[in-house]
Amino acid sequence: MKSFRALIIIFAMSLCFCAGGMVYASSFNEEAAERAYTIGICTDTKNDYSAYEISGFKDAIINKIDNEDIIFAEQDSNNSLSASAAVETLIQARSRLIFTIGDASLEAAANLTSDIPVIFSDVIDYRNVLHLLPDTGSITGRNVSGISGINSAERMLSLLIEACDHTPKAVGILYDPADTDSILQNELIEEYMNSAGICWREYEIRDDLTTEQAIANETEAAATPLTLPSINAAPSGKEGANIHPDSLGESGDLTGINEPMSARSMKIGSLWKNPTDISDMSWSEIVELACRQCDVLYICSGNVITDDPDIMNLIRQQTEITKTITVGGDADIGADTTVCLFQDPYALGYRCGVMAAAVINGDDIEDMPIEACDPEYTTKLFNRTLSSKLGKAWPKSFVDRESFLADYSSEGLTEAAERITENEK
């Protein structure tokens, strides 16, 4: 093992501020702070997935940095307000680099410092979060870089084809029209489906009413109408950005130059024949229609419709009736889909740690391109229960989701570390 000492300090939010300044853990002292290199870590959500990312990030720092005393200062938040407070805490702790996981943490770090290098992960639309111009490349030209949270569209298309055992006859894409992260991911995979000659269409699922209201309306035979948000529609995710040049260089309450103030209209692939008008349908009717028209449904990573259990239960029920395969973009969605794609969080965190180590060793973060998720560290998972109901068997390239996730914290995590170590040789 390399000769260095890593000090891990976890700052509790309730102990962030005290009369006279910061309250540090007992193992921390001013002399150690002067001698050490403090790395701040801020996460939107504290869960197993983020914990694995942090573990990979720390291991990369440990493996790549020689003869350094390292302090890891950790914070987590639940919303943009607490994210700002968490990042401010890390700044006050004299962090010399900040690792963020999630949109709110990245946005807070980008707004609060232009000097401290920021490495991010788990952000799908980083251009929007960072208020970048639409034509900005993968190099931000400022103190921020990291790894995009978007799975490889090529890998997702491969999963769609494998899930059907053949090229899909028709792919249905389910999303909320106000969910810009979903729109961005949808447009990427749609380009690949166009190139592959695959027929597809989007189905907008928007539940504006509470569950109680929806049940009452169904009882009265008054279906909930599907309506776009009370904002202008745009032809694409990029064009859906609301450009505010006067907000350049500013922060705070201003929306920024890439705030999606308009949801772009529903798209239908050029190969689709006789599209059905769904503008007056309820979301339950839309799900039923999608199952009848398509042999596979796609729900991208982080899709907000998965937050509504009524919608997901209906999707499960209808797909069982019509024997329709469902493909999810991440392992969480995989609880309600036939198959899903798992992005290895340890490997993702490790790659972010390698980027951070390069900055610590002297690389200029302003010249570091934002990297894409590595398809090598993805795993195809199948839902055993749903597959059984569909009478579907899977080849060895697919792994049972429930067993895989149960084993990941021990065997899987170790395997990820071993694969990374082997690839670095």
Side-chain angles (χ1 to χ4, degrees):
M1 181 174 289
K2 296 184 178 181
S3 57
F4 68 94
R5 179 168 54 88
L7 302 176
I8 301 177
I9 307 299
I10 300 177
F11 298 95
M13 287 298 298
S14 60
L15 298 178
C16 287
F17 296 95
C18 185
M22 291 291 303
V23 176
Y24 298 101
S26 58
S27 59
F28 180 85
N29 57 57
E30 291 295 326
E31 182 180 351
E34 294 291 341
R35 185 174 65 249
Y37 191 106
T38 300
I39 297 176
I41 300 174
C42 187
T43 64
D44 281 9
T45 305
K46 188 175 183 179
N47 53 29
D48 288 343
Y49 196 92
S50 62
Y52 298 142
E53 281 194 62
I54 292 172
S55 179
F57 178 82
K58 290 178 179 179
D59 283 354
I61 297 294
I62 289 171
N63 291 337
K64 298 294 182 180
I65 303 298
D66 287 320
N67 300 318
E68 284 280 358
D69 289 337
I70 304 293
I71 293 176
F72 292 108
E74 298 183 31
Q75 290 284 311
D76 59 86
S77 62
N78 296 316
N79 53 55
S80 58
L81 179 62
S82 58
S84 295
V87 170
E88 184 61 38
T89 297
L90 298 176
I91 294 173
Q92 294 299 319
R94 289 180 287 185
S95 295
R96 296 167 65 182
L97 183 143
I98 297 176
F99 174 46
T100 67
I101 302 177
D103 289 18
S105 295
L106 171 59
E107 184 170 27
N111 287 341
L112 290 172
T113 178
S114 59
D115 300 319
I116 302 172
V118 177
I119 301 292
F120 72 84
S121 72
D122 282 359
V123 177
I124 292 173
D125 192 355
Y126 66 84
R127 298 179 190 280
N128 178 39
V129 174
L130 295 174
H131 309 309
L132 299 176
L133 288 169
D135 58 352
T136 302
S138 60
I139 298 177
T140 66
R142 54 166 300 182
N143 64 318
V144 180
S145 188
I147 298 179
S148 168
I150 299 179
N151 276 318
S152 164
E154 184 177 4
R155 182 74 161 159
M156 286 305 310
L157 179 60
S158 176
L159 181 62
L160 279 168
I161 295 173
E162 289 182 273
C164 293
D165 292 328
H166 54 74
T167 300
K169 296 178 181 178
V171 176
I173 302 171
L174 307 183
Y175 75 109
D176 185 308
D179 181 6
T180 55
D181 278 356
S182 290
I183 289 173
L184 176 59
Q185 294 175 88
N186 293 347
E187 291 182 354
L188 292 174
I189 197 169
E190 286 162 7
E191 290 181 7
Y192 276 84
M193 287 193 287
N194 288 337
S195 298
I198 295 175
C199 180
W200 59 268
R201 75 160 292 172
E202 297 177 344
Y203 296 87
E204 297 169 338
I205 309 294
R206 186 173 179 85
D207 184 13
D208 289 322
L209 302 181
T210 64
T211 301
E212 292 78 13
Q213 289 174 319
I215 293 174
N217 283 355
E218 289 289 346
T219 303
E220 297 171 4
T224 305
L226 175 75
T227 56
L228 285 172
S230 57
I231 48 182
N232 296 326
S236 72
K238 181 181 289 187
E239 294 179 50
N242 184 29
I243 306 301
H244 293 293
D246 57 345
S247 69
L248 278 168
E250 300 181 18
S251 61
D253 295 332
L254 291 176
T255 59
I257 63 171
N258 221 34
E259 182 70 15
M261 295 297 288
S262 57
R264 68 108 166 98
S265 57
M266 179 180 58
K267 285 190 172 185
I268 300 176
S270 60
L271 298 177
W272 193 276
K273 305 298 182 183
N274 302 318
T276 307
D277 182 12
I278 66 173
S279 59
D280 293 327
M281 290 185 179
S282 68
W283 56 262
S284 58
E285 291 172 333
I286 293 172
V287 171
E288 293 173 8
L289 176 66
C291 289
R292 292 198 306 268
Q293 292 185 329
C294 305
D295 53 348
V296 59
L297 301 181
Y298 171 60
I299 305 173
C300 70
S301 178
N303 200 311
V304 299
I305 68 172
T306 61
D307 295 334
D308 191 322
D310 291 335
I311 292 177
M312 298 312 297
N313 287 337
L314 179 63
I315 291 174
R316 290 183 61 150
Q317 294 168 8
Q318 289 300 317
T319 53
E320 289 176 21
I321 294 172
T322 57
K323 303 297 182 182
T324 305
I325 297 293
T326 48
V327 175
D330 59 54
D332 284 342
I333 296 174
D336 294 297
T337 59
T338 318
V339 296
C340 65
L341 199 62
F342 176 82
Q343 179 71 39
D344 192 311
Y346 179 90
L348 177 59
Y350 194 97
R351 290 180 64 210
C352 289
V354 171
M355 296 180 74
V359 173
I360 295 172
N361 286 330
D363 286 6
D364 190 345
I365 193 170
E366 294 184 2
D367 298 329
M368 295 177 64
I370 294 171
E371 299 180 7
C373 285
D374 190 342
E376 180 180 356
Y377 296 107
T378 58
T379 304
K380 295 174 290 186
L381 306 180
F382 69 89
N383 186 306
R384 185 196 317 156
T385 301
L386 297 183
S387 298
S388 176
K389 291 181 179 180
L390 295 176
K392 185 77 174 179
W394 301 99
K396 292 183 179 179
S397 58
F398 285 78
V399 183
D400 173 59
R401 174 184 176 275
E402 185 176 351
S403 299
F404 178 87
L405 295 180
D407 293 340
Y408 181 82
S409 60
S410 54
E411 298 175 8
L413 190 61
T414 302
E415 180 182 349
E418 291 175 349
R419 288 174 62 194
I420 290 172
T421 301
E422 185 65 25
N423 288 340
E424 289 185 339
K425 292 180 180 178

